[in-house]
Amino acid sequence: MKNLIQKTAFAAVVMGGFGMATTVASADEAVPGLQNRTIGYVLTSANWGLYQTPDGKQECPDGFNEGPREQFKALYPNLGTVDGTQLERESASRYPMDKADNFPYHDVKGKIGIGLNLDGKVGENDFTSTDGEKGIDNNLYRAIGCTRLFRAPDGTYANFTDLWVREMNFNRVLVELTNVDSLTNDPAVDVTIYRGRDKLMTDATGANIMPGGSNRVDYRFGKNFITHMKGKIENGVLTTEAADVHWPWAVFLGRPGAYDFKGARFKLALTGDKAQGLMGGYSDIDTWYMQLVRSWSTHHSSYGGLSQPSFYRALHRLADGYPGPDGKMTAISSVLNIKMVQIFIEHEGQKVAAASDAKAKAAH
Amino acid sequence: MKSEVKFIAFKRSFVASLLTTAAAVAVASCSQATSERVAKAPAVKSAQVANYQGTIARVRRMTPEQYHNTVAYIFGADIDVGSPFAPLRRTDGLLASGAASVGVTTGELQQLQRSASSIAAQVIDKGSLDQHTPSRRDFLVPCKPVDENAADDACATKFVKEVGRLLYRRPLSEARVAEFVSDARKGANDLKNFYAGIAGVVEGMLLDPKVLLIADTTEPDPEHPGRRRLDAYSLASRLSFFLWDAAPDDQLIKDAESGLLFTAKGRAKVVDRMLASPRIEQGTRAFFDDMFGFEDFGNLAKDASVYPVMTGATIKDAREQTMRTVVDHLLTRNQDYRDLYTTRKTFMSPALATVYQVPTKPGWVPYEFPADSPRIGLLTQISYLSLHAHPARSSPTYRGKALRERLLCQKVPPPPANVDFSILENPNPLLKTARQRLEAHRANPVCAGCHKITDPMGLALENFDGAGRFRAQEKGADIDASGSLDGKEFTNVVGLGQAMHDHPQLTSCLVRRVYSYATGGPLSSADDGAITALNAAFGQAGYRYPALLRMIATSDAFYEIVEPAGETKAAQNSVSGQSETTAVTK
């Protein structure tokens, strides 16, 4: 019985600037999801890590960036032909380097940021997390933090990304922890990212994804999303070693896509029901940009003050990792705030495990 | 527009003529059935018959499911029947028994008329390529009229004979066929459409009390002079509604016509065919859904803030899980009925798995809880646990009461009118578990009497909350799941399952309910002999459910008719003879 009952005690942990306090659970509470030294989680929310103050003046003292409408007005005050104005400007999203872009671009200038210390150093331009950790690498925040599109709650980006995570099976990210002896402290666990195949189930309120569901691994079309990592759990917080991660990201109308993270790692507070925290890494900037321009049409960009050509330049200017052969950086430090709930991960070809209520066994 | 008005007028006149006779026929059927039952005193010819004499003749209304299944068999499962019936009153443990003492209100009659009209329209629907609907008339009407815009007596006769035989559950007399054909002709001529005439006839048939009411018609029993028996068609109906929850199929009516049902060998052959049919699952589901009181799922709601895992899908699947377990255990694997209360085999769906906290796959998959799991038998399934609980908390009392009433056929008295529930509904926060709260409640001697009957076994299920999810503690206090059932003590729910398994009333209750269901009404002291004999036989058969069905369906008592106790004198004053239905059809 004892080997099936994992005792957990979760210390309240505050991670990064997100203020992520874990659930404090009873030390005697068993963990139904932890069976055969394995527990799985499924992604229910993912948003780029932005530290925001209410009016934005602290991190964006120069204001927010201007979008397509403002730039169009400035570029074509007297209007003109469609191909000489509208089509010319729209093509700049796809070919941003064809013409000079002299519009000012506002980077985040604050000192506080959410994220992980990806390079293990404390640099001059690094952020400090809300709980005082120095050396936070998150230059993507610097690039997008003063653009309204990305800022919650009004920016449509955050709203849509959560919707896509929940409703599009392509984005079904599963994280499985194996060789787990304890969700509180375990010096060595294995972590594997898979893509799942099945829908998520909402609870009776309709607002939340229920823990305790099941999801099958997509071994057919999801192989390139499988990543193995080594990790450890300390005081209920999982941290992993770095690995390159291909992260599924389908967008409007279910069009498939992905982000490529180099040197990505997790920092997640774990409970038997959920995992919550950060997934940070260096995002490939070309992939990131293509993901953006293929999914965010002009009207969305206009509402959110996002000039794609201007952003392209900022992305390249702020890239801070993985230099290419020409010495230019190809990736930008970034972090996703992620939320997951416990799920039973089904591996193709395996029988359904004959598991029982783990809690129940405590009583018998 | 003009033809539409004419059609409505035709329908109204036709339906009105039927309805006018409806009440009269219903009354006639009832009184004549009564008179048939009591025409002559049953003769006792053998010890077996002495103990196992027969049943009373009844008139009962079709249940909604029976009506639906019958329409589905005759016209196709895609016909939308709607919900034309008012709910039945549970009588002697079964809704089906309530059908033997139910009235039809004017409002219900209107609903039935709407439903009949809709079904008729669907039957003659010519389909639409645009709407991707099939032309039902092409396969439901067995012939093509010579001219679609005119009456066609030959084709109408073919249709009326075929459909009427199935709806009325016996061949129609030539005179009745002629009436229907005449009605179809009138409708077709008035509306210049053959199918409109057919629709009117179908609507009228569906509203006919002889279709809606299942009337036992009787005849003298040549095997037992001086006694009465069901006629062959009533016997066929009784068999079919019992085993399939629907009207007889074409073959069963043929068997009735051929006399096969009145030889022991022939009846056994017929019953075996019915038991081997896939439709036996439909009948089994209907019976257990009724016995378990699963119609309450229609009103089941849980507080989403307390039980967020209890979604609409969970509730729907909980009912289905139990039905699948029952069918698999009793029919597919032909196992001992008692083992339903200790089995760990069931079926799992994704919506249920979140409550059971186990892995599963999409859709329904067979699932077996491990031997050390507290999930043992039907009592630990979500259906039982959630149905017999409050919206936001468990209820040992409801669970114990349901166990006694539904499964053991015992009666638990209702709470007194002046009972004080405050200790339960607004409890002392120091009373953390249901056991503690109920102990405080039982301190009131007015309450103690009933709670002593229900709580000792209900408390054994306290490891499951109001949604059926396992919990070791309630509000931080360890749950004590010990209890007792009629003298048998146990420490947890596994013991309760075993106590149920071994309880003598578990099987005798099933026998009572099945026999009552089979014969169409509540039991009386006249059935005691049959129940005693069946209890013994059921035990000898290893408590196999199909064996019980077969025993009842092939028994002489299933078609032999006896007088109801206390009605002899009144009945002696009535006229004996063939019932109205029998007279028409013979």
Side-chain angles (χ1 to χ4, degrees), chain B residues 28-255:
Chain B
S29 298
C30 294
S31 62
Q32 284 168 7
T34 303
S35 68
E36 293 304 305
R37 306 194 282 264
V38 296
K40 292 186 180 173
V44 177
K45 290 191 83 176
S46 68
Q48 186 193 6
V49 175
N51 288 330
Y52 199 177
Q53 293 176 348
T55 62
I56 61 171
R58 291 188 171 95
V59 177
R60 53 187 160 131
R61 198 202 72 189
M62 265 199 220
T63 67
E65 293 75 22
Q66 288 167 347
Y67 186 75
H68 188 278
N69 294 338
T70 300
V71 169
Y73 172 71
I74 298 172
F75 298 125
D78 62 333
I79 297 282
D80 182 8
V81 174
S83 306
F85 291 100
L88 290 166
R89 186 168 56 88
R90 186 167 287 278
T91 305
D92 195 26
L94 291 175
L95 289 178
S97 292
S101 55
V102 67
V104 180
T105 64
T106 307
E108 191 176 0
L109 211 50
Q110 287 174 345
Q111 292 293 329
L112 284 164
Q113 195 273 327
R114 283 195 199 102
S115 173
S117 175
S118 166
I119 293 168
Q122 293 173 71
V123 168
I124 61 142
D125 186 11
K126 64 181 175 184
S128 163
L129 280 175
D130 291 341
Q131 295 175 18
H132 305 287
T133 54
S135 170
R136 290 196 183 92
R137 62 171 62 167
D138 286 348
F139 53 88
L140 292 178
V141 179
C143 47
K144 293 270 186 195
V146 175
D147 178 1
E148 197 174 298
N149 299 317
D152 184 330
D153 282 3
C155 189
T157 302
K158 198 168 169 39
F159 175 83
V160 164
K161 279 187 173 177
E162 284 193 10
V163 170
R165 179 171 171 273
L166 295 172
L167 275 174
Y168 284 83
R169 308 181 285 278
R170 61 183 66 221
L172 299 178
S173 66
E174 289 302 322
R176 195 76 179 104
V177 170
E179 281 177 36
F180 281 129
V181 171
S182 169
D183 290 333
R185 187 188 314 123
K186 185 173 186 312
N189 288 336
D190 285 354
L191 301 167
K192 309 284 185 246
N193 186 298
F194 168 78
Y195 291 104
I198 290 293
V201 168
V202 170
E203 182 180 338
M205 286 180 174
L206 287 168
L207 278 171
D208 194 329
K210 291 178 195 167
V211 170
L212 293 171
L213 303 176
I214 307 166
D216 291 338
T217 59
T218 67
E219 62 185 15
D221 182 358
E223 299 292 317
H224 303 100
R227 296 185 59 180
R228 309 283 297 181
R229 67 180 185 185
L230 291 176
D231 74 5
Y233 298 110
S234 279
L235 176 54
S237 287
R238 186 177 274 199
L239 281 169
S240 191
F241 285 112
F242 169 35
L243 297 175
W244 290 347
D245 200 41
D249 67 357
D250 178 63
Q251 182 60 49
L252 189 51
I253 296 174
K254 281 180 183 160
D255 292 340

Side-chain angles (χ1 to χ4, degrees), chain A residues 4 32 35 198 201-205 210-216 344 346 350-357 359-364, chain B residues 304 307-311 350-351 353-362 367-370 372-375 463 470 472 492-494:
Chain A
L4 290 166
Q35 297 181 2
D198 300 311
M201 287 191 295
T202 51
D203 67 13
T205 68
M210 276 195 286
S214 297
N215 219 291
R216 295 169 298 169
F344 294 104
E346 289 294 306
Q350 274 195 341
K351 280 185 175 179
V352 174
S356 68
D357 314 57
K359 284 180 184 174
K361 294 189 174 183
H364 292 272
Chain B
Y307 301 124
V309 294
M310 205 66 178
T311 64
T354 57
V355 183
Y356 288 117
Q357 298 169 289
V358 297
T360 191
K361 293 179 178 176
Y367 189 86
E368 184 167 2
F369 288 101
D372 58 352
S373 165
R375 300 285 181 179
N463 275 134
F470 188 86
N492 56 30
V493 71
V494 176

Side-chain angles (χ1 to χ4, degrees), chain B residues 401-472:
Chain B
K401 182 172 186 286
L403 184 152
R404 289 203 180 276
E405 294 192 330
R406 297 250 193 266
L407 306 174
L408 300 178
C409 295
Q410 298 172 350
K411 186 67 187 164
V412 176
N418 60 345
V419 65
D420 178 9
F421 286 112
S422 61
I423 290 177
L424 294 170
E425 291 171 351
N426 190 18
N428 178 343
L430 295 176
L431 303 176
K432 294 187 173 179
T433 66
R435 182 181 291 274
Q436 292 167 341
R437 292 189 293 275
L438 282 167
E439 276 171 5
H441 181 63
R442 286 200 301 271
N444 182 347
V446 175
C447 307
C450 292
H451 282 280
K452 279 179 184 168
I453 299 171
T454 57
D455 296 356
M457 68 291 313
L459 285 165
L461 294 165
E462 268 302 284
N463 275 134
F464 305 98
D465 66 20
R469 198 165 199 176
F470 188 86
R471 56 184 181 176

